[in-house]
Amino acid sequence: MEMRCHWCFLVILILGCGSLLTAQQENDILFQIGNDTVTEKDALDIMFAKKDKKTITVDEFNKMLNFYLTIYDFKARGADTTKAFKRKLEMQTLNILGSIYSTENYKQLMDKCTMSRNTFAIVKDLFVPFDPILLRQIEELKKNENVTFEQVVNKARAYEGTSMSTRIISPTETRWALNNAICNLLESDNRTGIIGPIKDSKGYHYIELIREQENFGRYKTLMIYIPDMEGSGEPKIREAFAKLKSGKSFKLVAKEYSQPYRIDETAVKYFVPSINSNEIILKELEKLTIDGAMSKPFFASGGWYIIKRLSKEAYPLEKNLKEHARYITRKPSFFIEELKQRYQVQEYPYNFMSGRDDILFLVSNEPFYTKDLRQYASEYGYNFTTDTYDKYLHHLLVERYKKDIDTNRYQRLIDDFYFMQVFNPMEMIGRGQNKEKFIEDLRKLVNKYNPVIPKKKYVEDNPVFEN
């Protein structure tokens, strides 16, 4: 395979150049190390990413030769075959491929993440730890089409780490697996029943849709609130309303009458879709069709209200959606969820540690079993745990995705990673400043591996090849 490099090499490159040598043909071989070949075109494209540069200096040649000989030596010593290195490489590969994916699909992902739904979902959310026994018990319960969510919750309560909540799922939900599940649920014709298990970083979710909450946007208002203490609230709210009608400042009236004085001294209150959205308040807000409109006194939630509309805008705000999208699309967990959908993954976590060679995953309809997980754990030096179960699925997805991408681009970034296993960036700068030490170390590598350098111009007057 053709070898490539990337930014790490550039750190050394900036430390100085020697006399210029003209490259006659861009595709001429620069050097060969074993079965790997680097051309002058590689050097020009990688070092400068410019088509107009046609020259390579002796120093540039030496630094590129050092880069590849260092990687070759690292592999020749078997340093890349250790379990510790394989684990590091797998983590780095996930980060690299996630970065490539988010870069290549940036606009599509931004559109996907910033799409504000017309409705939010209010759901019952049962979180359970990754306990195969509990998951199997829940799956057995779900086989009964008449099972209730409460029955599943009662079964889970006996296990430590379970929790139950009622929550609203909005487009800014950071747990992307939940967000995807809700999108699929709202687009489905059948919205009843228990949905799950849905994988989270720490366990699994089971959800049931309670209702949809209209995304009415975000109201910015001024508000007066007076709690109704034994019927004393109504006379006070009417006094406040009369002062407002006479032209007195809303903020001053709010400061005089609101108990407690709500939010802050500005009397500003925002209303957005939430679990506890009060229907009476929402209906009153709907009546305020223009900015500056004010409601009459009304009773809701144990108190009296007067609300003045200041503005109404989309929710979530576009700038917040974009910030959210930039953040979420660069998370490895987001990349994994995207790959799960891309390759139509099906998980069977309740089969984990069943004592049998049961199916654990379907990836693009290809099954993977307990024996495959055990082999992976042995090869990479992992214990047979739930964490390894997750790592194995990530491994399967990453290996599958590598077949679909530009391998040269991936290889450039991986070459950087290999090189940094030998020299971190600070060491690279130090070696570049100590030219004699750099030449001495490179000469040792050249003598050890005898790279083939067809063009004499890269050897003549080169201190590395002096006797």
Side-chain angles (χ1 to χ4, degrees):
M1 179 192 297
E2 222 181 56
M3 300 176 66
R4 303 265 186 169
C5 69
H6 194 50
W7 65 268
C8 288
F9 176 69
L10 301 182
V11 176
I12 299 176
L13 182 61
I14 63 175
L15 299 173
C17 297
S19 59
L20 293 178
L21 300 172
T22 302
Q24 295 177 352
Q25 296 180 7
E26 287 190 344
N27 291 321
D28 285 349
I29 293 175
L30 198 59
F31 52 78
Q32 289 178 303
I33 308 171
N35 294 324
D36 296 317
T37 300
V38 178
T39 68
E40 289 182 323
K41 185 178 186 304
D42 290 329
L44 292 168
D45 288 349
I46 293 165
M47 289 189 296
F48 303 101
K50 293 180 179 179
K51 301 299 182 183
D52 56 344
K53 180 172 173 62
K54 303 297 182 182
T55 56
I56 300 172
T57 70
V58 169
D59 281 354
E60 290 167 353
F61 172 85
N62 287 344
K63 289 165 187 174
M64 190 166 224
L65 181 63
N66 175 71
F67 181 87
Y68 285 122
L69 279 174
T70 298
I71 296 173
Y72 191 85
D73 180 62
F74 182 80
K75 294 179 179 179
R77 290 185 283 107
D80 62 334
T81 63
T82 65
K83 294 178 179 179
F85 177 80
K86 285 184 176 181
R87 292 194 294 269
K88 289 173 64 177
L89 178 62
E90 188 158 71
M91 183 180 300
Q92 185 71 6
T93 300
L94 175 60
N95 291 330
I96 287 174
L97 293 182
S99 176
I100 291 175
Y101 180 82
S102 64
T103 301
E104 291 183 345
N105 301 279
Y106 181 72
K107 187 179 186 306
Q108 173 189 343
L109 296 178
M110 285 289 286
D111 290 344
K112 180 176 182 179
C113 291
T114 56
M115 187 183 301
S116 182
R117 294 195 294 267
N118 292 327
T119 57
F120 295 166
I122 297 178
V123 300
K124 298 175 184 177
D125 179 11
L126 171 65
F127 174 80
V128 300
F130 190 170
D131 186 313
I133 296 176
L134 173 57
L135 292 171
R136 281 197 291 273
Q137 291 177 346
I138 293 177
E139 288 305 307
E140 286 299 319
L141 281 176
K142 286 175 60 185
K143 290 179 181 178
N144 179 357
E145 60 182 18
N146 295 319
V147 69
T148 66
F149 197 84
E150 286 66 30
Q151 287 175 309
V152 174
V153 171
N154 290 336
K155 173 65 69 175
R157 287 193 191 280
Y159 289 80
E160 183 178 356
T162 62
S163 62
M164 165 64 190
S165 62
T166 300
R167 55 199 308 270
I168 187 167
I169 309 293
S170 76
T172 53
E173 170 60 55
T174 57
R175 285 169 284 196
W176 198 246
L178 271 178
N179 204 325
N180 282 339
I182 292 300
C183 284
N184 294 335
L185 177 63
L186 296 181
E187 292 173 2
S188 171
D189 293 333
N190 181 14
R191 303 181 182 184
T192 61
I194 301 170
I195 309 299
I198 304 165
K199 185 71 176 72
D200 196 358
S201 59
K202 298 179 180 178
Y204 290 86
H205 293 262
Y206 291 89
I207 61 174
E208 183 177 62
L209 181 66
I210 299 175
R211 70 178 188 275
E212 294 179 55
Q213 171 68 64
E214 180 188 357
N215 184 7
F216 52 78
R218 184 175 83 156
Y219 286 96
K220 181 180 180 180
T221 71
L222 295 175
M223 187 178 79
I224 296 173
Y225 169 75
I226 301 176
D228 194 52
M229 307 295 289
E230 299 180 351
S232 63
E234 186 173 2
K236 291 181 179 179
I237 200 72
R238 297 204 179 280
E239 286 179 19
F241 188 64
K243 291 183 178 181
L244 292 172
K245 295 291 286 183
S246 69
K248 193 169 183 179
S249 164
F250 197 104
K251 292 181 181 180
L252 292 177
V253 175
K255 189 171 185 178
E256 179 180 355
Y257 284 92
S258 280
Q259 302 171 16
Y261 190 48
R262 305 289 272 190
I263 310 305
D264 56 30
E265 292 186 357
T266 66
V268 172
K269 168 72 175 178
Y270 291 95
F271 289 94
V272 298
S274 72
I275 296 173
N276 300 315
S277 295
N278 185 282
E279 291 186 9
I280 296 176
I281 294 177
L282 293 183
K283 287 181 180 179
E284 292 295 330
L285 287 170
E286 289 175 1
K287 295 176 184 177
L288 307 178
T289 56
I290 60 173
D291 295 347
M294 183 175 69
S295 74
K296 295 179 179 179
F298 64 92
F299 183 83
S301 301
W304 289 88
Y305 292 80
I306 301 173
I307 296 177
K308 181 178 181 178
R309 169 174 160 170
L310 297 180
S311 64
K312 183 183 179 182
E313 56 195 357
Y315 178 78
L317 297 176
E318 184 177 355
K319 66 174 184 178
N320 292 341
L321 282 169
K322 288 184 177 180
E323 289 171 3
H324 165 73
R326 278 191 287 268
Y327 165 74
I328 200 71
T329 56
R330 283 163 174 75
K331 293 178 67 175
S333 58
F334 176 86
F335 175 52
I336 290 298
E337 289 304 320
E338 286 292 293
L339 293 187
K340 283 182 182 180
Q341 295 217 358
R342 182 182 183 125
Y343 300 124
Q344 301 176 322
V345 169
Q346 296 183 45
E347 294 185 60
Y348 304 88
Y350 38 83
N351 287 339
F352 181 64
M353 299 185 75
S354 66
R356 303 180 301 273
D357 186 27
D358 288 330
I359 187 171
L360 297 179
F361 309 108
L362 274 176
V363 180
S364 297
N365 292 321
E366 182 179 358
F368 296 90
Y369 297 87
T370 302
K371 66 181 181 190
D372 302 314
L373 174 57
R374 289 190 182 278
Q375 181 179 344
Y376 167 80
S378 175
E379 180 181 348
Y380 284 79
Y382 290 122
N383 295 323
F384 195 70
T385 64
T386 53
D387 283 343
T388 306
Y389 169 96
D390 291 337
K391 287 183 173 67
Y392 182 49
L393 177 57
H394 298 173
H395 169 83
L396 294 174
L397 292 171
V398 164
E399 291 302 308
R400 179 68 178 78
Y401 182 64
K402 280 166 63 176
K403 299 176 182 178
D404 294 347
I405 65 168
D406 176 1
T407 55
N408 285 336
R409 182 180 180 190
Y410 163 73
Q411 192 60 48
R412 288 199 300 270
L413 298 173
I414 285 296
D415 283 345
D416 287 341
F417 174 70
Y418 272 83
F419 188 78
M420 287 200 299
Q421 303 315 296
V422 183
F423 302 110
N424 63 43
M426 293 307 297
E427 288 177 311
M428 290 161 58
I429 293 174
R431 292 178 79 245
Q433 292 172 340
N434 189 341
K435 191 169 183 178
E436 291 183 2
K437 183 68 165 58
F438 173 80
I439 294 298
E440 178 185 347
D441 291 343
L442 178 54
R443 185 181 293 130
K444 290 178 182 178
L445 289 175
V446 167
N447 293 335
K448 185 175 182 180
Y449 294 110
N450 297 312
V452 176
I453 305 171
K455 292 191 174 293
K456 293 182 179 180
K457 62 184 178 181
Y458 295 120
V459 177
E460 296 172 348
D461 297 325
N462 188 335
V464 173
F465 299 95
E466 292 176 358
N467 294 329

